[in-house]
Amino acid sequence: MNKDSPVGLQSNTNLLSYYREMQRIRTFEDRVGELYLRGESAGSMLHLSIGEESAAVGFCNAMTDGDTFTTHHRGHGIFLARGADPNRMMAEIGGKEDGYCRGKGGSMQIADMGLGHLGANAIVGGGIPAVVGAALVAKRRGNGKISVAFFGDGAMQQGILYESMNMAALWDLPVVFVCINNQWGMGTRIDQATKATKLHERAAAFGLNAETVNGLDVMDVIAAADRIVEGARAGTPGFLAVDCFRFYGHGRKDKSPYRTEEEETVGRQKDPVKFAREALIAQGHDEAELDALDKEITEEMDATIDFTIASPEPALDTMFQDVYAPGQPVPEPVRSRIERVLARE
Amino acid sequence: MKLAYRDALRQALIDAMREDPDIFAIGEEVGRYGGAYGVTKGLIEEFGAERLVDTPISEPAIVGAAVGAAMAGMRPVAELMYVDFVGMTMDQLCNQAAKIRYMFGGQIGVPMVLRTQGGIGRSAGAQHSQSLEAYVMHTPGLRLAMPGTVYDAYHLLRQALKQPDPVVFIEHKGLYAMSEEVDLSVPPPEWGKAVVRREGRDIVMVTYSRQIHYAMQAAEELAAEGIEATVIDLRTLNPLDFDTIRAAVEPIGKAMVISEAAMTAGVAAELAARITEECFDFLEDPVVRVAGEDIPISVSVELEKGSVPGPALVAQTARELVA
Ligand SMILES: Cc1ncc(C[n+]2csc(CCOP(=O)(O)OP(=O)(O)O)c2C)c(N)n1
Ligand SMILES: [Mg+2]
């Protein structure tokens, strides 16, 4: 993308592909909900990123092969935007053998080292400091790679973020902290969690390049991400808050009784997928073309459910694998320890 | 009266808060949301936001603020949504709360309760399913309660809220929806006392929290085969009622300890060692631990279930011990 030209919907020819990526995320998340309803998900702790698609697609656009990242518990969209295979993702969410982590991690602890995904996290803020270490290595090796932590607004109140930002700035690391500010952390609205709601100001205080961008228009996120990532690759860590709205409940089962209907209606108007679609129409794409694209995506994502249902449960003895490295002795099963003790009589 | 574990906990908070205006809850989603597992639902309407303090997601400061409030004369009930987050608060819990009375020569105590929940049962994965009671039990200065029944959910929480020292109160996520017939007006056993849930002549099962139910199930199954087990519910791990254990083990000479937590260096290890040391002359067999595998918990339904003991393993172990 030409960084000197004003970036706007009208001038951009890539919008169709960004729309496609965002629609893929939304459709995938929708199918995650379906997997749960069909009783095929491993549990109900499923956090959908509907409404946040522009953050994932917009930021990941600035990332390249070899960049590493961590995500939070609402990270399906980010992983897809970095090239994840939706079948293997869905199978992991189903706790199945063909999942990225062979059924051990699930939705909240999914990872793929091949794509630089150092891990999603069920601990709010838990994945943040790892990018400091990963960036330290990138800098040492001089490979031009960055490391990116994605997290929610709730993690802005975890102390570890500030320790991490301070180190990143102190050591001029190629790091970016991306806060997906969907306004809510479970039932707590951002202004009920902090008085300092201009989130990027905190990062600026540590010496990071820091911005807040409205997530409605993916092109705005792309432009902001380009600026921040350029700085990070040159050794000035960055921070980007993407303002958006959590369309549905905290988890799949939460009906958000703590939000008013009005707030939800207004919030959902901040819809990056719809916005991009309308922009495409304005650019001269026709509904039929976009419908055909949507249909293709629907088919791709429908298949993830079939793939997951067809995938076997992991074999029981795989639970002893991966505690330690391959080739190391595995933990002895309790049953065999008991048998040994009883056999001694 | 039929009551759910979750509702018993809520009732305990309500009754305690009505009685003692210094009691307040502090934690994530305890107020408006009513608690991640619904324990504090509706409390904010009666007691207001000053006594149901919703916090940012800042676990070390939640526990640390509770320590300070307790030192300043109130009685906070801090809540950690999952016991797995205790790692983040280890300093405040183990270096501050646990040691303040001692370090400061007995000048002041920290009468707080840390409510949290653990265990498997929701495919919540490795970071939301652990049984970490050993961390707490290993730290002098902390009390530790783990209710396994609806009655105890109520009364242990009431009693915890009267203790002079910090109490970590670990609920089990798999029990919240469990209902039992209870009469809460029956006076509870003294704080720190174990309860013998079932008496038998062949073997002693020592356990706590959710595994109580697995032990009872196994004991019923064994009874049909003519094997009679004594089942001890410890209720609190600190104080530990070793007298009740000893009194049961000495005449029978066979004991097993049942725990959901990882076996190695866990609570079961401590209990088995203590029974072995103190009842050695009476034991006919090694004290056997039936405990969780030494592995993290998977999100896969099958692997999750396979990671902790169930009634079948308890029964089988008892059968072989008695044979
Ligand atoms: C350390 C920690 N504290 C609390 C929780 C429980 N919890 C899970 S998600 C969440 C809200 C997070 O909000 P935010 O960071 O804004 O992310 P969002 O859910 O909005 O994507 C909470 C409190 C947790 N998983 N980890
Ligand atoms: Mg949020």
PDB file of all heavy atoms in Angstrom, chain A residues 47 52 72-74 122-124 151-155 158 180 182 184-186 246 250, chain B residues 28-29 57 59 81-82 85 88 128, ligand 1:
ATOM      1  N   HIS A  47     -15.775 -17.000  23.602  1.00  0.00           N
ATOM      2  CA  HIS A  47     -15.878 -15.548  23.537  1.00  0.00           C
ATOM      3  C   HIS A  47     -15.770 -15.117  22.087  1.00  0.00           C
ATOM      4  O   HIS A  47     -14.735 -15.285  21.454  1.00  0.00           O
ATOM      5  CB  HIS A  47     -14.777 -14.915  24.392  1.00  0.00           C
ATOM      6  CG  HIS A  47     -14.744 -15.473  25.796  1.00  0.00           C
ATOM      7  ND1 HIS A  47     -13.930 -16.525  26.150  1.00  0.00           N
ATOM      8  CD2 HIS A  47     -15.449 -15.150  26.896  1.00  0.00           C
ATOM      9  CE1 HIS A  47     -14.134 -16.808  27.432  1.00  0.00           C
ATOM     10  NE2 HIS A  47     -15.047 -15.992  27.909  1.00  0.00           N
ATOM     11  N   GLU A  52     -15.566  -6.845  16.292  1.00  0.00           N
ATOM     12  CA  GLU A  52     -14.156  -6.469  16.452  1.00  0.00           C
ATOM     13  C   GLU A  52     -13.327  -6.861  15.225  1.00  0.00           C
ATOM     14  O   GLU A  52     -12.098  -6.889  15.276  1.00  0.00           O
ATOM     15  CB  GLU A  52     -13.575  -7.164  17.698  1.00  0.00           C
ATOM     16  CG  GLU A  52     -14.407  -6.924  18.943  1.00  0.00           C
ATOM     17  CD  GLU A  52     -13.905  -7.665  20.186  1.00  0.00           C
ATOM     18  OE1 GLU A  52     -12.855  -8.328  20.119  1.00  0.00           O
ATOM     19  OE2 GLU A  52     -14.577  -7.555  21.222  1.00  0.00           O
ATOM     20  N   HIS A  72      -5.682 -12.668  23.511  1.00  0.00           N
ATOM     21  CA  HIS A  72      -6.465 -12.880  24.726  1.00  0.00           C
ATOM     22  C   HIS A  72      -7.493 -13.988  24.488  1.00  0.00           C
ATOM     23  O   HIS A  72      -7.372 -14.773  23.540  1.00  0.00           O
ATOM     24  CB  HIS A  72      -7.102 -11.572  25.180  1.00  0.00           C
ATOM     25  CG  HIS A  72      -7.970 -10.904  24.145  1.00  0.00           C
ATOM     26  ND1 HIS A  72      -7.795 -11.066  22.794  1.00  0.00           N
ATOM     27  CD2 HIS A  72      -9.026 -10.072  24.284  1.00  0.00           C
ATOM     28  CE1 HIS A  72      -8.712 -10.353  22.155  1.00  0.00           C
ATOM     29  NE2 HIS A  72      -9.476  -9.746  23.029  1.00  0.00           N
ATOM     30  N   HIS A  73      -8.497 -14.009  25.339  1.00  0.00           N
ATOM     31  CA  HIS A  73      -9.524 -15.055  25.277  1.00  0.00           C
ATOM     32  C   HIS A  73     -10.534 -14.810  24.162  1.00  0.00           C
ATOM     33  O   HIS A  73     -11.401 -15.638  23.942  1.00  0.00           O
ATOM     34  CB  HIS A  73     -10.255 -15.094  26.624  1.00  0.00           C
ATOM     35  CG  HIS A  73     -10.828 -13.744  26.962  1.00  0.00           C
ATOM     36  ND1 HIS A  73     -10.043 -12.724  27.450  1.00  0.00           N
ATOM     37  CD2 HIS A  73     -12.065 -13.240  26.799  1.00  0.00           C
ATOM     38  CE1 HIS A  73     -10.783 -11.644  27.592  1.00  0.00           C
ATOM     39  NE2 HIS A  73     -12.014 -11.916  27.215  1.00  0.00           N
ATOM     40  N   ARG A  74     -10.458 -13.661  23.514  1.00  0.00           N
ATOM     41  CA  ARG A  74     -11.391 -13.350  22.428  1.00  0.00           C
ATOM     42  C   ARG A  74     -10.584 -13.209  21.142  1.00  0.00           C
ATOM     43  O   ARG A  74     -10.685 -12.209  20.444  1.00  0.00           O
ATOM     44  CB  ARG A  74     -12.156 -12.053  22.755  1.00  0.00           C
ATOM     45  CG  ARG A  74     -13.518 -11.928  22.048  1.00  0.00           C
ATOM     46  CD  ARG A  74     -14.243 -10.628  22.416  1.00  0.00           C
ATOM     47  NE  ARG A  74     -14.587 -10.547  23.817  1.00  0.00           N
ATOM     48  CZ  ARG A  74     -15.609 -11.200  24.399  1.00  0.00           C
ATOM     49  NH1 ARG A  74     -16.397 -11.934  23.668  1.00  0.00           N
ATOM     50  NH2 ARG A  74     -15.822 -11.088  25.684  1.00  0.00           N
ATOM     51  N   ALA A 122      -6.184 -17.527  28.727  1.00  0.00           N
ATOM     52  CA  ALA A 122      -7.387 -17.419  29.555  1.00  0.00           C
ATOM     53  C   ALA A 122      -7.139 -16.567  30.789  1.00  0.00           C
ATOM     54  O   ALA A 122      -8.032 -16.354  31.587  1.00  0.00           O
ATOM     55  CB  ALA A 122      -7.867 -18.802  29.966  1.00  0.00           C
ATOM     56  N   ILE A 123      -5.903 -16.095  30.923  1.00  0.00           N
ATOM     57  CA  ILE A 123      -5.583 -15.189  32.024  1.00  0.00           C
ATOM     58  C   ILE A 123      -5.565 -13.773  31.448  1.00  0.00           C
ATOM     59  O   ILE A 123      -4.763 -13.485  30.549  1.00  0.00           O
ATOM     60  CB  ILE A 123      -4.201 -15.526  32.627  1.00  0.00           C
ATOM     61  CG1 ILE A 123      -4.154 -16.982  33.127  1.00  0.00           C
ATOM     62  CG2 ILE A 123      -3.843 -14.560  33.742  1.00  0.00           C
ATOM     63  CD1 ILE A 123      -5.091 -17.306  34.268  1.00  0.00           C
ATOM     64  N   VAL A 124      -6.426 -12.908  31.937  1.00  0.00           N
ATOM     65  CA  VAL A 124      -6.478 -11.550  31.399  1.00  0.00           C
ATOM     66  C   VAL A 124      -5.122 -10.867  31.633  1.00  0.00           C
ATOM     67  O   VAL A 124      -4.697 -10.711  32.777  1.00  0.00           O
ATOM     68  CB  VAL A 124      -7.617 -10.732  32.044  1.00  0.00           C
ATOM     69  CG1 VAL A 124      -7.501  -9.261  31.664  1.00  0.00           C
ATOM     70  CG2 VAL A 124      -8.967 -11.290  31.621  1.00  0.00           C
ATOM     71  N   PHE A 151      -5.000  -7.647  23.282  1.00  0.00           N
ATOM     72  CA  PHE A 151      -5.734  -7.868  24.536  1.00  0.00           C
ATOM     73  C   PHE A 151      -6.933  -6.930  24.575  1.00  0.00           C
ATOM     74  O   PHE A 151      -7.068  -6.045  23.728  1.00  0.00           O
ATOM     75  CB  PHE A 151      -4.805  -7.638  25.736  1.00  0.00           C
ATOM     76  CG  PHE A 151      -4.025  -6.352  25.669  1.00  0.00           C
ATOM     77  CD1 PHE A 151      -4.553  -5.167  26.160  1.00  0.00           C
ATOM     78  CD2 PHE A 151      -2.765  -6.324  25.084  1.00  0.00           C
ATOM     79  CE1 PHE A 151      -3.835  -3.981  26.078  1.00  0.00           C
ATOM     80  CE2 PHE A 151      -2.038  -5.137  24.995  1.00  0.00           C
ATOM     81  CZ  PHE A 151      -2.575  -3.967  25.497  1.00  0.00           C
ATOM     82  N   GLY A 152      -7.781  -7.139  25.562  1.00  0.00           N
ATOM     83  CA  GLY A 152      -8.982  -6.323  25.682  1.00  0.00           C
ATOM     84  C   GLY A 152      -8.788  -5.134  26.606  1.00  0.00           C
ATOM     85  O   GLY A 152      -7.748  -4.991  27.254  1.00  0.00           O
ATOM     86  N   ASP A 153      -9.808  -4.297  26.672  1.00  0.00           N
ATOM     87  CA  ASP A 153      -9.742  -3.121  27.535  1.00  0.00           C
ATOM     88  C   ASP A 153      -9.622  -3.515  29.005  1.00  0.00           C
ATOM     89  O   ASP A 153      -9.055  -2.781  29.810  1.00  0.00           O
ATOM     90  CB  ASP A 153     -10.966  -2.227  27.330  1.00  0.00           C
ATOM     91  CG  ASP A 153     -12.256  -3.028  27.292  1.00  0.00           C
ATOM     92  OD1 ASP A 153     -12.485  -3.732  26.292  1.00  0.00           O
ATOM     93  OD2 ASP A 153     -13.027  -2.970  28.273  1.00  0.00           O
ATOM     94  N   GLY A 154     -10.147  -4.704  29.346  1.00  0.00           N
ATOM     95  CA  GLY A 154     -10.058  -5.151  30.735  1.00  0.00           C
ATOM     96  C   GLY A 154      -8.613  -5.299  31.180  1.00  0.00           C
ATOM     97  O   GLY A 154      -8.258  -4.993  32.327  1.00  0.00           O
ATOM     98  N   ALA A 155      -7.749  -5.727  30.267  1.00  0.00           N
ATOM     99  CA  ALA A 155      -6.342  -5.947  30.603  1.00  0.00           C
ATOM    100  C   ALA A 155      -5.604  -4.632  30.848  1.00  0.00           C
ATOM    101  O   ALA A 155      -4.487  -4.636  31.380  1.00  0.00           O
ATOM    102  CB  ALA A 155      -5.652  -6.747  29.499  1.00  0.00           C
ATOM    103  N   GLN A 158      -4.482  -4.302  34.382  1.00  0.00           N
ATOM    104  CA  GLN A 158      -3.547  -5.263  34.958  1.00  0.00           C
ATOM    105  C   GLN A 158      -2.157  -4.643  35.016  1.00  0.00           C
ATOM    106  O   GLN A 158      -1.656  -4.121  34.011  1.00  0.00           O
ATOM    107  CB  GLN A 158      -3.466  -6.545  34.110  1.00  0.00           C
ATOM    108  CG  GLN A 158      -4.715  -7.439  34.170  1.00  0.00           C
ATOM    109  CD  GLN A 158      -4.835  -8.247  35.458  1.00  0.00           C
ATOM    110  OE1 GLN A 158      -4.360  -7.814  36.514  1.00  0.00           O
ATOM    111  NE2 GLN A 158      -5.481  -9.376  35.386  1.00  0.00           N
ATOM    112  N   ILE A 180      -7.913  -4.026  22.131  1.00  0.00           N
ATOM    113  CA  ILE A 180      -9.211  -4.043  21.440  1.00  0.00           C
ATOM    114  C   ILE A 180     -10.254  -3.591  22.452  1.00  0.00           C
ATOM    115  O   ILE A 180     -10.688  -4.347  23.313  1.00  0.00           O
ATOM    116  CB  ILE A 180      -9.503  -5.444  20.880  1.00  0.00           C
ATOM    117  CG1 ILE A 180      -8.369  -5.832  19.914  1.00  0.00           C
ATOM    118  CG2 ILE A 180     -10.861  -5.461  20.176  1.00  0.00           C
ATOM    119  CD1 ILE A 180      -8.505  -7.195  19.299  1.00  0.00           C
ATOM    120  N   ASN A 182     -13.524  -2.946  23.332  1.00  0.00           N
ATOM    121  CA  ASN A 182     -14.934  -3.186  22.983  1.00  0.00           C
ATOM    122  C   ASN A 182     -15.865  -2.617  24.053  1.00  0.00           C
ATOM    123  O   ASN A 182     -17.032  -2.961  24.120  1.00  0.00           O
ATOM    124  CB  ASN A 182     -15.193  -4.676  22.737  1.00  0.00           C
ATOM    125  CG  ASN A 182     -14.915  -5.513  23.983  1.00  0.00           C
ATOM    126  OD1 ASN A 182     -14.762  -4.986  25.092  1.00  0.00           O
ATOM    127  ND2 ASN A 182     -14.855  -6.821  23.824  1.00  0.00           N
ATOM    128  N   TRP A 184     -16.369  -3.124  27.079  1.00  0.00           N
ATOM    129  CA  TRP A 184     -16.849  -3.939  28.191  1.00  0.00           C
ATOM    130  C   TRP A 184     -15.831  -5.005  28.568  1.00  0.00           C
ATOM    131  O   TRP A 184     -15.161  -5.553  27.695  1.00  0.00           O
ATOM    132  CB  TRP A 184     -18.168  -4.650  27.823  1.00  0.00           C
ATOM    133  CG  TRP A 184     -19.325  -3.701  27.764  1.00  0.00           C
ATOM    134  CD1 TRP A 184     -19.708  -2.941  26.699  1.00  0.00           C
ATOM    135  CD2 TRP A 184     -20.211  -3.384  28.839  1.00  0.00           C
ATOM    136  NE1 TRP A 184     -20.780  -2.165  27.046  1.00  0.00           N
ATOM    137  CE2 TRP A 184     -21.123  -2.422  28.352  1.00  0.00           C
ATOM    138  CE3 TRP A 184     -20.333  -3.817  30.168  1.00  0.00           C
ATOM    139  CZ2 TRP A 184     -22.134  -1.889  29.151  1.00  0.00           C
ATOM    140  CZ3 TRP A 184     -21.346  -3.290  30.945  1.00  0.00           C
ATOM    141  CH2 TRP A 184     -22.235  -2.330  30.444  1.00  0.00           C
ATOM    142  N   GLY A 185     -15.724  -5.274  29.859  1.00  0.00           N
ATOM    143  CA  GLY A 185     -15.021  -6.442  30.361  1.00  0.00           C
ATOM    144  C   GLY A 185     -16.041  -7.186  31.192  1.00  0.00           C
ATOM    145  O   GLY A 185     -16.468  -6.695  32.242  1.00  0.00           O
ATOM    146  N   MET A 186     -16.498  -8.283  30.724  1.00  0.00           N
ATOM    147  CA  MET A 186     -17.666  -8.971  31.306  1.00  0.00           C
ATOM    148  C   MET A 186     -18.802  -7.970  31.500  1.00  0.00           C
ATOM    149  O   MET A 186     -19.257  -7.374  30.529  1.00  0.00           O
ATOM    150  CB  MET A 186     -17.307  -9.684  32.613  1.00  0.00           C
ATOM    151  CG  MET A 186     -16.677 -11.046  32.350  1.00  0.00           C
ATOM    152  SD  MET A 186     -16.393 -12.002  33.850  1.00  0.00           S
ATOM    153  CE  MET A 186     -17.956 -12.828  34.074  1.00  0.00           C
ATOM    154  N   ARG A 246     -18.518  -4.722  21.754  1.00  0.00           N
ATOM    155  CA  ARG A 246     -18.762  -6.161  21.879  1.00  0.00           C
ATOM    156  C   ARG A 246     -20.244  -6.410  21.573  1.00  0.00           C
ATOM    157  O   ARG A 246     -21.104  -6.068  22.374  1.00  0.00           O
ATOM    158  CB  ARG A 246     -18.427  -6.624  23.307  1.00  0.00           C
ATOM    159  CG  ARG A 246     -18.330  -8.132  23.475  1.00  0.00           C
ATOM    160  CD  ARG A 246     -18.239  -8.527  24.949  1.00  0.00           C
ATOM    161  NE  ARG A 246     -19.546  -8.433  25.591  1.00  0.00           N
ATOM    162  CZ  ARG A 246     -19.737  -8.277  26.911  1.00  0.00           C
ATOM    163  NH1 ARG A 246     -18.715  -8.202  27.724  1.00  0.00           N
ATOM    164  NH2 ARG A 246     -20.962  -8.202  27.401  1.00  0.00           N
ATOM    165  N   HIS A 250     -20.641 -11.604  27.044  1.00  0.00           N
ATOM    166  CA  HIS A 250     -19.226 -11.879  27.321  1.00  0.00           C
ATOM    167  C   HIS A 250     -18.843 -13.258  26.787  1.00  0.00           C
ATOM    168  O   HIS A 250     -17.888 -13.399  26.039  1.00  0.00           O
ATOM    169  CB  HIS A 250     -18.963 -11.801  28.816  1.00  0.00           C
ATOM    170  CG  HIS A 250     -17.616 -12.318  29.193  1.00  0.00           C
ATOM    171  ND1 HIS A 250     -16.459 -11.688  28.802  1.00  0.00           N
ATOM    172  CD2 HIS A 250     -17.232 -13.430  29.871  1.00  0.00           C
ATOM    173  CE1 HIS A 250     -15.420 -12.387  29.238  1.00  0.00           C
ATOM    174  NE2 HIS A 250     -15.856 -13.441  29.888  1.00  0.00           N
TER     175      HIS A 250
ATOM    176  N   GLU B  28     -14.033  -8.801  41.162  1.00  0.00           N
ATOM    177  CA  GLU B  28     -14.543  -8.573  39.807  1.00  0.00           C
ATOM    178  C   GLU B  28     -15.965  -9.109  39.668  1.00  0.00           C
ATOM    179  O   GLU B  28     -16.220 -10.275  39.993  1.00  0.00           O
ATOM    180  CB  GLU B  28     -13.615  -9.264  38.795  1.00  0.00           C
ATOM    181  CG  GLU B  28     -12.236  -8.625  38.755  1.00  0.00           C
ATOM    182  CD  GLU B  28     -11.155  -9.582  38.256  1.00  0.00           C
ATOM    183  OE1 GLU B  28     -11.479 -10.582  37.592  1.00  0.00           O
ATOM    184  OE2 GLU B  28      -9.973  -9.314  38.561  1.00  0.00           O
ATOM    185  N   GLU B  29     -16.850  -8.281  39.238  1.00  0.00           N
ATOM    186  CA  GLU B  29     -18.231  -8.673  38.908  1.00  0.00           C
ATOM    187  C   GLU B  29     -19.028  -9.156  40.110  1.00  0.00           C
ATOM    188  O   GLU B  29     -20.016  -9.861  39.949  1.00  0.00           O
ATOM    189  CB  GLU B  29     -18.234  -9.746  37.799  1.00  0.00           C
ATOM    190  CG  GLU B  29     -17.409  -9.408  36.570  1.00  0.00           C
ATOM    191  CD  GLU B  29     -17.948  -8.222  35.787  1.00  0.00           C
ATOM    192  OE1 GLU B  29     -19.116  -7.845  35.964  1.00  0.00           O
ATOM    193  OE2 GLU B  29     -17.157  -7.638  34.994  1.00  0.00           O
ATOM    194  N   ILE B  57     -10.071  -5.386  36.634  1.00  0.00           N
ATOM    195  CA  ILE B  57      -9.408  -6.694  36.585  1.00  0.00           C
ATOM    196  C   ILE B  57      -7.970  -6.494  37.065  1.00  0.00           C
ATOM    197  O   ILE B  57      -7.061  -6.243  36.286  1.00  0.00           O
ATOM    198  CB  ILE B  57      -9.464  -7.292  35.169  1.00  0.00           C
ATOM    199  CG1 ILE B  57     -10.912  -7.298  34.662  1.00  0.00           C
ATOM    200  CG2 ILE B  57      -8.885  -8.712  35.159  1.00  0.00           C
ATOM    201  CD1 ILE B  57     -11.056  -7.700  33.207  1.00  0.00           C
ATOM    202  N   GLU B  59      -6.127  -8.351  40.023  1.00  0.00           N
ATOM    203  CA  GLU B  59      -6.176  -9.285  41.139  1.00  0.00           C
ATOM    204  C   GLU B  59      -5.226  -8.971  42.290  1.00  0.00           C
ATOM    205  O   GLU B  59      -5.627  -9.037  43.457  1.00  0.00           O
ATOM    206  CB  GLU B  59      -5.954 -10.726  40.647  1.00  0.00           C
ATOM    207  CG  GLU B  59      -7.160 -11.345  39.968  1.00  0.00           C
ATOM    208  CD  GLU B  59      -7.362 -10.919  38.525  1.00  0.00           C
ATOM    209  OE1 GLU B  59      -6.468 -10.222  38.004  1.00  0.00           O
ATOM    210  OE2 GLU B  59      -8.360 -11.285  37.912  1.00  0.00           O
ATOM    211  N   MET B  81     -12.125 -14.791  40.877  1.00  0.00           N
ATOM    212  CA  MET B  81     -13.117 -15.509  40.069  1.00  0.00           C
ATOM    213  C   MET B  81     -12.742 -16.986  39.884  1.00  0.00           C
ATOM    214  O   MET B  81     -13.597 -17.845  39.862  1.00  0.00           O
ATOM    215  CB  MET B  81     -13.230 -14.809  38.720  1.00  0.00           C
ATOM    216  CG  MET B  81     -14.585 -14.917  38.078  1.00  0.00           C
ATOM    217  SD  MET B  81     -14.618 -14.029  36.515  1.00  0.00           S
ATOM    218  CE  MET B  81     -14.957 -12.366  37.037  1.00  0.00           C
ATOM    219  N   TYR B  82     -11.454 -17.241  39.751  1.00  0.00           N
ATOM    220  CA  TYR B  82     -10.944 -18.621  39.620  1.00  0.00           C
ATOM    221  C   TYR B  82      -9.716 -18.756  40.507  1.00  0.00           C
ATOM    222  O   TYR B  82      -8.881 -17.847  40.545  1.00  0.00           O
ATOM    223  CB  TYR B  82     -10.546 -18.928  38.164  1.00  0.00           C
ATOM    224  CG  TYR B  82     -11.745 -19.074  37.248  1.00  0.00           C
ATOM    225  CD1 TYR B  82     -12.427 -17.967  36.782  1.00  0.00           C
ATOM    226  CD2 TYR B  82     -12.210 -20.342  36.871  1.00  0.00           C
ATOM    227  CE1 TYR B  82     -13.546 -18.099  35.965  1.00  0.00           C
ATOM    228  CE2 TYR B  82     -13.314 -20.484  36.049  1.00  0.00           C
ATOM    229  CZ  TYR B  82     -13.982 -19.368  35.598  1.00  0.00           C
ATOM    230  OH  TYR B  82     -15.081 -19.499  34.797  1.00  0.00           O
ATOM    231  N   PHE B  85      -6.157 -17.855  39.427  1.00  0.00           N
ATOM    232  CA  PHE B  85      -5.572 -16.506  39.445  1.00  0.00           C
ATOM    233  C   PHE B  85      -4.791 -16.254  40.735  1.00  0.00           C
ATOM    234  O   PHE B  85      -4.213 -15.193  40.911  1.00  0.00           O
ATOM    235  CB  PHE B  85      -6.650 -15.427  39.294  1.00  0.00           C
ATOM    236  CG  PHE B  85      -7.610 -15.658  38.152  1.00  0.00           C
ATOM    237  CD1 PHE B  85      -8.855 -15.047  38.146  1.00  0.00           C
ATOM    238  CD2 PHE B  85      -7.271 -16.481  37.082  1.00  0.00           C
ATOM    239  CE1 PHE B  85      -9.750 -15.267  37.107  1.00  0.00           C
ATOM    240  CE2 PHE B  85      -8.165 -16.712  36.039  1.00  0.00           C
ATOM    241  CZ  PHE B  85      -9.401 -16.101  36.053  1.00  0.00           C
ATOM    242  N   MET B  88      -1.291 -14.960  40.536  1.00  0.00           N
ATOM    243  CA  MET B  88      -1.049 -13.526  40.347  1.00  0.00           C
ATOM    244  C   MET B  88      -1.023 -12.779  41.681  1.00  0.00           C
ATOM    245  O   MET B  88      -0.454 -11.705  41.778  1.00  0.00           O
ATOM    246  CB  MET B  88      -2.159 -12.909  39.492  1.00  0.00           C
ATOM    247  CG  MET B  88      -2.404 -13.640  38.198  1.00  0.00           C
ATOM    248  SD  MET B  88      -3.878 -13.000  37.400  1.00  0.00           S
ATOM    249  CE  MET B  88      -3.276 -11.415  36.853  1.00  0.00           C
ATOM    250  N   HIS B 128      -8.102 -22.567  34.027  1.00  0.00           N
ATOM    251  CA  HIS B 128      -9.353 -22.280  34.745  1.00  0.00           C
ATOM    252  C   HIS B 128      -9.946 -23.520  35.412  1.00  0.00           C
ATOM    253  O   HIS B 128     -11.139 -23.558  35.672  1.00  0.00           O
ATOM    254  CB  HIS B 128     -10.410 -21.732  33.772  1.00  0.00           C
ATOM    255  CG  HIS B 128     -10.324 -20.257  33.501  1.00  0.00           C
ATOM    256  ND1 HIS B 128      -9.220 -19.648  32.980  1.00  0.00           N
ATOM    257  CD2 HIS B 128     -11.232 -19.259  33.678  1.00  0.00           C
ATOM    258  CE1 HIS B 128      -9.457 -18.346  32.831  1.00  0.00           C
ATOM    259  NE2 HIS B 128     -10.666 -18.080  33.252  1.00  0.00           N
TER     260      HIS B 128
HETATM  261  C1  LIG C   1      -6.611 -12.708  35.460  1.00  0.00           C
HETATM  262  C2  LIG C   1      -8.015 -12.900  35.091  1.00  0.00           C
HETATM  263  N1  LIG C   1      -8.969 -12.246  35.773  1.00  0.00           N
HETATM  264  C3  LIG C   1     -10.261 -12.415  35.469  1.00  0.00           C
HETATM  265  C4  LIG C   1     -10.630 -13.254  34.466  1.00  0.00           C
HETATM  266  C5  LIG C   1     -12.084 -13.481  34.142  1.00  0.00           C
HETATM  267  N2  LIG C   1     -12.395 -12.756  32.919  1.00  0.00           N
HETATM  268  C6  LIG C   1     -12.279 -13.356  31.731  1.00  0.00           C
HETATM  269  S1  LIG C   1     -12.526 -12.317  30.481  1.00  0.00           S
HETATM  270  C7  LIG C   1     -12.838 -11.035  31.519  1.00  0.00           C
HETATM  271  C8  LIG C   1     -13.166  -9.714  30.955  1.00  0.00           C
HETATM  272  C9  LIG C   1     -12.088  -9.239  30.061  1.00  0.00           C
HETATM  273  O1  LIG C   1     -12.425  -8.048  29.476  1.00  0.00           O
HETATM  274  P1  LIG C   1     -11.549  -7.476  28.306  1.00  0.00           P
HETATM  275  O2  LIG C   1     -10.121  -7.551  28.667  1.00  0.00           O
HETATM  276  O3  LIG C   1     -12.090  -6.143  27.981  1.00  0.00           O
HETATM  277  O4  LIG C   1     -11.773  -8.489  27.128  1.00  0.00           O
HETATM  278  P2  LIG C   1     -13.138  -8.790  26.352  1.00  0.00           P
HETATM  279  O5  LIG C   1     -13.786  -9.917  27.078  1.00  0.00           O
HETATM  280  O6  LIG C   1     -13.960  -7.569  26.364  1.00  0.00           O
HETATM  281  O7  LIG C   1     -12.707  -9.184  24.994  1.00  0.00           O
HETATM  282  C10 LIG C   1     -12.727 -11.441  32.834  1.00  0.00           C
HETATM  283  C11 LIG C   1     -12.943 -10.581  33.996  1.00  0.00           C
HETATM  284  C12 LIG C   1      -9.601 -13.938  33.779  1.00  0.00           C
HETATM  285  N3  LIG C   1      -9.875 -14.808  32.813  1.00  0.00           N
HETATM  286  N4  LIG C   1      -8.316 -13.719  34.092  1.00  0.00           N
END
